[in-house]
Amino acid sequence: MTAMNNELSNLSRELHRKNLSLQQAMAEIKFLKGLLPICMHCKKIRDDKGYWNNIEAYITKHSDASFSHAICDDCAKKFYSEYLEDPNKVEDNEEQ
């Protein structure tokens, strides 16, 4: 009977440790869900307090995502065509 009590006690402590570990892991998880009100023109996102934030700042604050900026082919042609060797060589890569 004592051996069973010891085993039950050990299992209970292990379960408690694993629950604490899981709670700590879940506390560190950040994720976005639901609808995000986004301006159809400037793409700023309205937060819960009604303030408009640029999309990069909002997502960085509310998740573990970070950004690196690049220029898509369409914008390269539109805004920087004078710097391209052959602006016509940049392909349109729009999703169909």
Side-chain angles (χ1 to χ4, degrees):
M1 193 73 139
T2 303
M4 269 177 77
N5 286 339
N6 285 341
E7 185 176 348
L8 185 58
S9 181
N10 289 338
L11 289 172
S12 180
R13 280 194 295 274
E14 181 65 22
L15 180 60
H16 181 71
R17 277 195 298 271
K18 287 186 178 192
N19 280 338
L20 286 176
S21 177
L22 181 59
Q23 287 173 353
Q24 289 172 338
M26 290 182 70
E28 294 176 11
I29 295 173
K30 290 174 119 179
F31 61 93
L32 296 172
K33 66 178 182 178
L35 295 175
L36 295 176
I38 186 166
C39 176
M40 62 186 268
H41 293 286
C42 69
K43 305 302 183 207
K44 287 184 180 178
I45 295 177
R46 190 178 64 231
D47 63 21
D48 295 337
K49 296 178 183 172
Y51 295 105
W52 290 95
N53 303 275
N54 76 37
I55 193 167
E56 294 94 339
Y58 185 89
I59 292 176
T60 299
K61 182 177 179 181
H62 292 87
S63 74
D64 289 329
S66 58
F67 289 84
S68 69
H69 289 87
I71 299 172
C72 71
D73 294 343
D74 292 338
C75 288
K77 285 193 295 190
K78 182 176 180 180
F79 296 106
Y80 301 100
S81 62
E82 67 271 18
Y83 300 105
L84 299 174
E85 290 180 20
D86 185 1
N88 296 321
K89 192 174 183 179
V90 177
E91 298 177 13
D92 289 326
N93 288 328
E94 290 184 23
E95 293 182 15
Q96 303 290 327

